[in-house]
């Protein structure tokens, strides 16, 4: 590098650094100079809260949330910028007085403006100013002014918190550091002192029936001798005992009958506990009495199968008794009795159990046959039993849906689609659901060049039939392996689609038989026993019309070696097969009939294009079995502290391969078995996906995702079908690259779709609140795809070991989201931070600018 160029480069970088530094100073000046704009004289803005616990700063979010007067959002952290506080400061505190003083008080000024604008426009302008000011106040955030009374309340709350955790003798005090710039920093100093530990637990139980069970349910007690006192453990123990007793037949038992009395007087920091369980309180019309708790058994189970508002005054006309269940219908019974009783876990003669009730309610809801099923219990005074009444209101048997749509894509100028569906409930009287859907679409392609053809030259037709059975459809009983409380179901799905002038034109047939069950609230299992897919490419001669980048590369190579003239093309429109010359050129290169040799880079390029063409134009027959496991610990949509783990494993082709060997089928010229003239795919595929959310409080969430997948061909295949391959890039992947544009490996391909059979992906995202319903995010995405153990020979695209991990691409960026409550509209900007397709030493921040950024629009969060 020459000296003048080096000086020029330094000057350029210096100017950039100066600009960045100036912007940073401007932001800092806004943050430091204007935050106290609305702070009155004698008041102080709280800029920092600190909890010092035994001389150490405690940053635990749970404890810091105890502070009543929190600093303004955005106040904490390096280069902090309280945006919402600045927005609030832009508003005028007394807008009506200002408008009156500036405008309304001057009658001459008012007359001139009315003459210029009209009375209506003048009033609208004044009202607009008020609304704008109101919006600033509403969107912004008022400054948090130090209030000693609230600080004292925080001190008391901190004392209560530490007391609840066993530090009964804790001491809490506060210090306030105020400065002349109307700012204040509050420090809460906590001295915990020695904690109290649990010692003895003495039961005092009034009811003999409960007392007889104490030795049993106390074995799993959450209160352990020698452990530090924790008030939450007492609450959890109360819940545990209540759950146990209500599942042991004590129908009238509730939490209010349990209380704990603790003694710490002269115990040397030990806690002695009395567990008191009182008798049942019975409230009559004029008096209240107590009596011992009793266990209840189920005397009868009645199922009312067609309760509704319309037939509430009808009398029961159909009564059926099935396996000790009484089924009543006002019209003719529309369900087979077993279909309903299989969903009920409340059995005649059983001891009352909350668990049986909740399982019954969940199973009935999972059937999606009934509207708000309910369960009531009636006490039979004469024999201490309960009658369970289950009320079911059937949903409509037939539901018809219509869904018209207008769309546009990268292959069509405009398109119209229409889908319709028919859902039939209880189709075979066993609570089954049959869904029949169809789709028809037409569109105008962007590459239509022949004016003689119809304007709408794209079409797609398809249909789908899905039958859901609320049990495992097997020839043998599986209740001991997968009990019915896991809500097992079977889905049988058949689908067919046909596409024309979309890519290579395809016909697709598929059939799936799958089992689903839920071992627990957090775990979902799915077994695709049979998954058959057949894909037939109808117009393979159009390959280079779809993958034009490959055709352009072949053209370029053909010109470079003088196979054709510079003004010629491999395309020959006079031939029926327009792109046969391109295929001929490939054949001649690979046969050694051109000037290219196997050691030339262009020879390798042609070979790669041919390999890819063969893979993407071949028909596919996939006969697979797969298992999906999912553990989702998210409690609800508002939970931001959870994890999700997914694992999938799939095996394809083994059954067909073994059958082919047994019956002695012949192999084709490539040494592969065929079924109906198509070589079936054989591979092993597995994927793992882990997502973790950390709730940092105040709408700040740190989210992390790790994903990896591999598909290995073997036996009857040497490559993976395109539909089963992995791709990288896109709004839910590495956002610095568009979908299918990243990888494989360090290859700098120009393919329209890049795919491979091995993938690694990592994402980290910091999400935070901006103002109102606007959210912000900073993210880093990393990952890539590679070929491994297949027929791809390009070293840059293959994974050869840990050394290939240096080709993991890194993208970073920021996003803005708007929360509509029921969904989130997302806009992300991704920058190529580390690009493995560039030469080594030139990969970091090569195109890190807005010109080369990728802009993504999506619905909801990427993970």
């Amino acid at each position: 590098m020459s000296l003048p160029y080096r000086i020029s480069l330094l000057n350029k970088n210096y100017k950039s650094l100066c600009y960045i530094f100036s912007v940073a100073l401007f932001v800092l000046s806004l943050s430091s100079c204007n935050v106290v704009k609305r702070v009155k004289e004698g008041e102080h803005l709280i800029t920092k809260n600190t909890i010092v616990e035994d001389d150490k700063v405690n940053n635990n979010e749970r404890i810091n949330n105890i502070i009543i007067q929190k600093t303004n959002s955005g106040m904490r952290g390096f280069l902090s910028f309280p945006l919402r506080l600045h927005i609030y400061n832009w508003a005028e505190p007394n807008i009506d007085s200002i408008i009156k003083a500036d405008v309304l008080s001057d009658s001459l000024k008012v007359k001139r403006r009315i003459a210029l604008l009209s009375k209506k426009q003048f009033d609208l302008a004044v009202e607009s100013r008020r609304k704008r000011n109101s919006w600033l106040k509403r969107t912004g955030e008022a400054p948090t002014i130090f209030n000693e009374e609230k600080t004292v309340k925080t001190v008391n709350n901190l004392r209560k918190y530490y007391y609840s955790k066993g530090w009964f003798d804790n001491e809490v005090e506060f210090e306030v550091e105020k400065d002349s710039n109307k700012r204040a920093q509050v420090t809460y100093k906590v001295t915990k002192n020695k904690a109290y530990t649990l010692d003895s637990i003495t039961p005092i139980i009034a009811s003999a029936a409960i007392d007889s069970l104490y030795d049993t349910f106390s074995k799993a007690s959450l209160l352990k001798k020698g452990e530090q006192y924790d008030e939450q453990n007492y609450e959890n123990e109360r819940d545990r005992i209540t759950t146990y007793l209500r599942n042991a037949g004590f129908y009238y038992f509730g939490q209010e009958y349990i209380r704990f009395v603790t003694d710490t007087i002269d115990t040397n920091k030990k806690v002695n506990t009395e567990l008191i369980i009182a008798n049942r309180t019975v409230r009559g019309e004029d008096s209240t009495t107590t009596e011992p708790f009793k266990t209840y058994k189920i005397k009868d189970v009645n199922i009312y199968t067609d309760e509704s508002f319309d037939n509430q005054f009808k009398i029961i006309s159909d009564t059926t008794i099935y396996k000790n269940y009484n089924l009543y219908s006002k019209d003719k019974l529309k369900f087979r009795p077993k279909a309903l009783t299989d969903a009920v876990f409340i059995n005649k003669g059983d001891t009352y159990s909350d668990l049986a009730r909740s399982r019954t309610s969940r199973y009935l809801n999972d059937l999606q046959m009934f509207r708000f099923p309910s369960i009531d219990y009636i006490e039979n005074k004469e024999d201490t039993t309960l009658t369970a009444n289950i009320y079911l209101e059937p949903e409509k048997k037939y539901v018809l849906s219509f869904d018209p749509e207008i769309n546009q894509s990268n292959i069509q100028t405009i398109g119209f689609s229409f889908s319709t569906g028919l859902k039939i409930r209880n189709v075979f009287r066993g609570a089954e659901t049959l869904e029949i859907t169809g789709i028809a679409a037409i569109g105008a392609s962007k590459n239509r060049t022949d004016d003689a053809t119809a304007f709408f030259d794209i079409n797609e037709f398809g249909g789908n039939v899905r039958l859901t059975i609320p049990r495992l459809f097997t020839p043998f009983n599986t209740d001991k392996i997968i009990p019915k409380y896991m809500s097992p179901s079977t889905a049988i799905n058949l689908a067919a689609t046909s596409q024309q002038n979309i890519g290579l034109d395809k016909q697709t047939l598929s059939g799936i038989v799958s089992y689903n069950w839920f071992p627990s609230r957090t775990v979902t299992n799915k077994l695709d026993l049979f998954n058959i897919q057949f894909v037939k490419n109808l117009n393979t001669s159009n390959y280079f019309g779809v993958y034009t980048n490959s055709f352009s590369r072949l053209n370029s190579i053909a010109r470079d070696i003088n196979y054709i003239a510079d003004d010629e093309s491999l395309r020959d429109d006079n031939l029926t097969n327009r792109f046969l010359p391109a295929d001929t050129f490939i054949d001649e290169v690979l046969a050694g009939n051109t000037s290219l040799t196997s050691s030339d880079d262009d020879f390798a390029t042609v070979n790669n294009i041919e390999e890819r063409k063969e893979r993407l134009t071949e028909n596919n027959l996939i006969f697979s079995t797969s298992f999906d496991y999912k553990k989702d610990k998210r409690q609800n949509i508002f939970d931001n502290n959870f994890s999700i783990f997914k694992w999938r494993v799939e095996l394809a082709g083994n059954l067909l391969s073994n059958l082919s060997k047994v019956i002695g089928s012949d192999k084709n010229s490539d040494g592969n078995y065929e079924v109906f003239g198509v070589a079936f795919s054989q591979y092993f595929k597995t994927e793992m996906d882990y997502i973790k959310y950390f709730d940092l409080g105040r709408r700040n969430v740190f989210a992390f995702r790790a994903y990896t997948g591999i598909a290995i061909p073997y036996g009857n295949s040497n490559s993976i079908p395109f539909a089963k391959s992995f791709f990288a890039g896109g709004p839910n992947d590495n956002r610095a690259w568009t979908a299918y544009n990243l990888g494989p490996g360090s290859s700098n391909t120009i393919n329209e779709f890049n795919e491979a059979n091995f993938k690694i992906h990592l994402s980290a995202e910091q999400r935070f609140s901006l103002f109102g319903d606007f959210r912000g995010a900073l993210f880093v995405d990393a990952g890539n795809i590679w070929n491994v153990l297949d027929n791809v020979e390009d070293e840059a695209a293959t994974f050869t070991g840990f050394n290939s991990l240096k080709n993991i691409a890194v993208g970073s960026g920021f996003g803005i989201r708007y929360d509509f409550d029921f969904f989130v509209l997302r806009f992300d900007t991704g920058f190529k931070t580390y690009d493995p397709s560039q030469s080594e030493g030139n990969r970091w921040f090569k195109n890190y600018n807005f010109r080369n950024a990728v802009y993504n629009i999506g619905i909801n969060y990427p993970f």
Side-chain angles (χ1 to χ4, degrees), residues 563-579:
Y563 183 84
I564 58 176
D566 289 343
D567 59 348
E568 292 180 342
S569 171
L570 292 175
R571 180 179 289 119
D572 185 352
D573 292 330
N574 295 322
L575 294 177
T576 301
N577 184 342
R578 295 191 300 147
F579 302 104

Side-chain angles (χ1 to χ4, degrees), residues 71-214:
T71 58
N72 288 95
S73 57
M75 188 73 75
R76 294 180 295 176
F78 178 67
L79 291 180
S80 61
F81 185 73
L83 176 62
R84 293 186 64 192
L85 175 57
H86 283 298
I87 293 174
Y88 183 89
N89 286 341
W90 289 335
E92 297 292 346
N94 50 347
I95 186 64
D96 289 329
S97 299
I98 291 173
I99 291 175
K100 184 176 181 180
D102 290 351
V103 182
L104 301 181
S105 62
D106 190 337
S107 58
L108 185 61
K109 183 186 291 186
V110 172
K111 287 181 180 179
R112 284 200 305 265
R113 292 194 178 183
I114 290 176
L116 180 65
L117 299 173
S118 82
K119 180 68 167 62
K120 183 179 180 179
Q121 293 297 326
F122 173 77
D123 291 340
L124 286 174
V126 172
E127 184 60 24
S128 176
R129 186 171 175 182
R130 287 195 181 98
K131 287 182 177 179
R132 184 170 60 252
N133 197 77
S134 176
W135 182 87
L136 290 172
K137 282 188 173 182
R138 188 173 62 254
T139 305
E141 185 179 70
T144 304
I145 306 301
F146 172 75
N147 182 299
E148 186 165 343
E149 183 179 339
K150 293 182 178 180
T151 304
V152 171
K153 286 183 179 179
T154 297
V155 168
N156 291 332
N157 289 343
L158 284 170
R159 286 173 181 160
K160 291 177 183 178
Y161 171 80
Y162 284 97
Y163 186 96
S164 73
K165 296 301 179 182
W167 291 287
F168 295 165
D169 302 325
N170 72 79
E171 302 170 37
V172 183
E173 56 185 19
F174 72 91
E175 292 181 356
V176 183
E177 183 181 340
K178 302 177 181 178
D179 62 23
S180 58
N181 293 322
K182 300 181 183 180
R183 292 169 175 78
Q185 296 186 10
V186 184
T187 302
Y188 298 92
K189 294 186 176 181
V190 180
T191 304
K192 294 185 297 185
N193 294 316
K194 187 177 179 180
Y196 280 67
T197 58
L198 301 184
D199 192 24
S200 63
I201 300 175
T202 304
I204 302 175
I205 302 174
S207 300
I210 296 178
D211 188 51
S212 66
L213 297 175
Y214 177 76

Side-chain angles (χ1 to χ4, degrees), residues 14 102 194 251 255 259 614 677 737:
Y14 175 75
D102 290 351
K194 187 177 179 180
Y251 174 68
Q255 285 186 344
R259 62 189 179 95
E614 289 296 318
W737 281 262

Side-chain angles (χ1 to χ4, degrees), residues 44 64 70 98 124 201-202 221 234 239 283 355 383 402 430 454 489 570 578 581 614 627:
H44 292 80
N64 278 268
K70 297 179 174 62
I98 291 173
L124 286 174
I201 300 175
T202 304
S221 176
Y234 282 79
D239 292 342
R283 292 178 175 83
L355 182 61
D383 57 3
F402 300 93
S489 65
L570 292 175
R578 295 191 300 147
E614 289 296 318
F627 175 74

